[in-house]
Amino acid sequence: MFRKFSENIISAAVSPFSSAPSTPAATAASSTLDIQSLSIASSASSHQARAKVERQLADELAKFGVPMSTEDCAGCDDHQEGCDESEGAGHVTHVQYPRGFDVDWDSDLLASAKPQPRQLVISTGRSDWPHDHTEDETTLSHHLNNALMKAAGITPAPPLKPDQGGKEKDEKALPPAPPPPPPTNPPGMIEITVGKDGLPQGIYEAPATQITPSMQDEPSPTGIPEQPGTMLFSSSLISQSHEGHRETVLAFPDWKVVVDVTNDERGAEGVLTDLVSRTEAQGDSARRTWTLPYRAVVLLSAVSNGSDPRLLGSHKRRDKRCHIAAPLLEKALCQSLEEHHVSVDLQGHSLSADHLEQAFPPLDQIPTDELPIEVEKRLRAIDAVDDAQGNGEVGIFRISHLGGHRYAGVMIICFPSGATLYYGRVSPREIPAVVKETLLGGKILSGLLRSAGNAVRPELVAEHGEEDAGKKIKTVCQRKGKTLLSW
């Protein structure tokens, strides 16, 4: 079926990339945005029509300074018209999802994800988790969730007992999800809504993340500095700590890894404090921070394959598409990246303290006033970080529930520049284009785009002659360069 892209005029909540504090338990205030619409129509009767619509969407987003790919290889049917089949039909990127793999092709994909300004990815060494992975009190995810609520002044509720609607109730089958709303536009219609900040809905600009001496005039009453909106993900990442009770945390768009984090309340609060404000003494001499060594990181939603008896059976049925898609996408990514001579890290071997300190000392040893320059120097030193041909290393990790499993396969792609992409409706057939155009070329495939953060490049606006739009965009974005690889 043809992929329709449209956005409707909405009454929007506060931008996910606002600086207001947000936690998994907090509710943002709402405000109405003045929105302007622009539409494009085309036929939807063939692959050529679908490709034409995707190119038109790419052209429209490019006018707002978003680096877009014009390649016509994303999601093509039966690998026709320009796709490279030199590897033969048995190539992993030609694998199709099994019969019955139900994907929502009717709902709008653009702006179907609402990311927070920051994503934290926590090591567990597993590849499946319950739907709410933060409920497991033995995990660092649980402690981080509680620390975020504490920073926002929210008291975490005690876990429910079975007779209060706890685990026994959860194990019952969930009611079926309501059907998606019917499409509001005719097939082939693209409608992009633009907010007051001059950016289309689904394209967000987050404040630059950096460590400062303090983000508050007075010490926080909770002992934890004010936090940006944060999403937590458990992951297949394996902690490389020499001590079994310590974990690893990846922070995006900070592009940092915190190693040897104690799996307790103190360790969780220390991570949040370290990422936002600098203290003279961290209190835990083993916890250290480095910039990530990868040229990109791909996070694949993988919940749940149901192999763990502790997981909820209802969630297995609900998210079976993700656990089917993730291993196929992972295999296709590995193969495509290796063809470009790009190494792949699936477990986090490159994140051991022993390996990281061979290149640089931990950031904790750098004076606060020298830190921004030092971080940028290390980012630019990442192997092949700006090489569109290949080489370097990409981290690929499976993560807990991402949301939007009806658009499976779904993934997050992060870059050292701070850009973050949410992709949906990805199958192994799209992976060569994802690797060539997005991971190596730093450009977005419009046919897969759910949302993008820190993806605007004002220099591109000038190329399209949108002078008024360019002036408005530059008020929310001062980034330079022409791809997601530059900052």
Side-chain angles (χ1 to χ4, degrees):
M1 183 181 291
F2 160 76
R3 296 181 178 182
K4 180 178 72 67
F5 299 88
S6 67
E7 280 309 319
N8 307 316
I9 296 178
I10 62 165
S11 175
V14 171
S15 167
F17 282 127
S18 67
S19 58
S22 174
T23 72
T27 302
S30 295
S31 63
T32 302
L33 300 179
D34 293 329
I35 294 177
Q36 166 192 5
S37 297
L38 44 96
S39 302
I40 306 168
S42 73
S43 171
S45 59
S46 64
H47 168 70
Q48 291 92 336
R50 178 204 57 76
K52 179 180 179 181
V53 171
E54 291 186 3
R55 284 195 298 271
Q56 289 176 321
L57 176 58
D59 289 342
E60 288 305 311
L61 292 178
K63 292 178 181 178
F64 296 93
V66 182
M68 303 298 300
S69 170
T70 57
E71 283 291 310
D72 182 22
C73 195
C76 60
D77 298 328
D78 300 324
H79 283 269
Q80 297 176 357
E81 302 187 33
C83 281
D84 181 6
E85 297 208 48
S86 59
E87 297 294 338
H91 195 258
V92 66
T93 58
H94 290 197
V95 173
Q96 298 185 31
Y97 290 138
R99 186 181 300 275
F101 189 96
D102 184 22
V103 176
D104 181 353
W105 295 100
D106 296 319
S107 301
D108 301 335
L109 187 64
L110 183 62
S112 64
K114 296 181 179 179
Q116 294 289 348
R118 182 207 283 155
Q119 295 84 35
L120 297 183
V121 178
I122 304 104
S123 64
T124 70
R126 295 166 51 185
S127 59
D128 53 9
W129 309 266
H131 183 272
D132 188 351
H133 63 109
T134 65
E135 288 186 347
D136 186 344
E137 297 180 25
T138 66
T139 65
L140 182 59
S141 298
H142 173 79
H143 298 304
L144 280 167
N145 186 63
N146 285 352
L148 285 168
M149 289 192 286
K150 180 180 177 181
I154 301 172
T155 302
L160 293 175
K161 298 178 181 179
D163 59 355
Q164 295 176 312
K167 184 175 180 181
E168 289 183 358
K169 181 178 180 180
D170 286 342
E171 287 178 345
K172 297 179 182 179
L174 294 175
T184 56
N185 295 313
M189 175 71 72
I190 301 172
E191 187 174 76
I192 301 176
T193 59
V194 184
K196 286 182 177 180
D197 59 1
L199 299 180
Q201 187 185 2
I203 308 298
Y204 307 103
E205 185 66 19
T209 304
Q210 61 183 11
I211 296 177
T212 60
S214 176
M215 291 185 65
Q216 297 175 323
D217 295 332
E218 298 179 1
S220 168
T222 65
I224 307 174
E226 182 179 305
Q227 300 293 309
T230 301
M231 299 178 74
L232 298 177
F233 298 106
S234 292
S235 78
S236 59
L237 174 65
I238 297 175
S239 172
Q240 303 298 310
S241 174
H242 297 302
E243 300 184 54
H245 63 287
R246 295 179 181 268
E247 301 292 350
T248 299
V249 178
L250 312 185
F252 304 102
D254 313 67
W255 209 253
K256 292 183 174 68
V257 53
V258 188
V259 304
D260 290 321
V261 181
T262 55
N263 186 3
D264 53 26
E265 180 180 348
R266 182 183 179 186
E269 294 181 1
V271 168
L272 298 184
T273 300
D274 295 348
L275 289 174
V276 172
S277 65
R278 194 69 175 271
T279 56
E280 293 299 326
Q282 293 180 328
D284 181 358
S285 58
R287 189 178 67 248
R288 289 160 291 170
T289 303
W290 276 272
T291 53
L292 286 166
Y294 308 121
R295 62 176 295 166
V297 169
V298 180
L299 305 174
L300 300 171
S301 181
V303 152
S304 157
N305 65 22
S307 62
D308 189 331
R310 296 174 296 175
L311 303 183
L312 304 183
S314 59
H315 189 63
K316 175 185 176 183
R317 288 189 292 274
R318 181 178 176 186
D319 279 336
K320 62 182 180 181
R321 285 164 290 193
C322 292
H323 85 78
I324 292 172
L328 294 176
L329 295 178
E330 179 182 278
K331 186 175 181 180
L333 281 165
C334 290
Q335 191 168 77
S336 293
L337 286 166
E338 288 171 359
E339 290 170 359
H340 289 275
H341 309 289
V342 178
S343 300
V344 173
D345 187 357
L346 297 176
Q347 297 182 322
H349 294 305
S350 295
L351 302 180
S352 69
D354 295 339
H355 177 80
L356 293 168
E357 62 188 1
Q358 290 179 9
F360 299 103
L363 292 173
D364 317 281
Q365 298 179 7
I366 307 301
T368 301
D369 58 350
E370 299 177 12
L371 201 57
I373 296 177
E374 178 67 19
V375 168
E376 182 169 342
K377 180 184 79 172
R378 295 187 184 191
L379 293 178
R380 295 183 184 278
I382 294 172
D383 186 19
V385 66
D386 57 356
D387 183 356
Q389 301 304 313
N391 299 310
E393 185 174 48
V394 170
I396 303 176
F397 309 110
R398 303 186 194 185
I399 59 171
S400 54
H401 186 64
L402 172 58
H405 48 266
R406 71 189 190 191
Y407 301 116
V410 292
M411 63 172 61
I412 304 175
I413 302 176
C414 307
F415 296 92
S417 66
T420 302
L421 305 180
Y422 279 58
Y423 272 1
R425 295 175 181 156
V426 186
S427 75
R429 295 186 299 177
E430 281 83 38
I431 291 302
V434 170
V435 169
K436 178 184 175 183
E437 296 299 307
T438 302
L439 291 178
L440 302 184
K443 296 182 179 180
I444 296 173
L445 296 163
S446 61
L448 307 178
L449 182 62
R450 300 183 66 196
S451 67
N454 294 335
V456 173
R457 297 296 184 268
E459 284 192 6
L460 295 177
V461 179
E463 291 183 2
H464 288 82
E466 300 288 328
E467 184 175 351
D468 292 339
K471 290 179 180 178
K472 200 165 189 179
I473 287 173
K474 287 182 180 179
T475 65
V476 295
C477 176
Q478 298 298 325
R479 299 173 186 275
K480 298 180 180 180
K482 298 181 180 181
T483 72
L484 302 180
L485 307 180
S486 51
W487 58 91

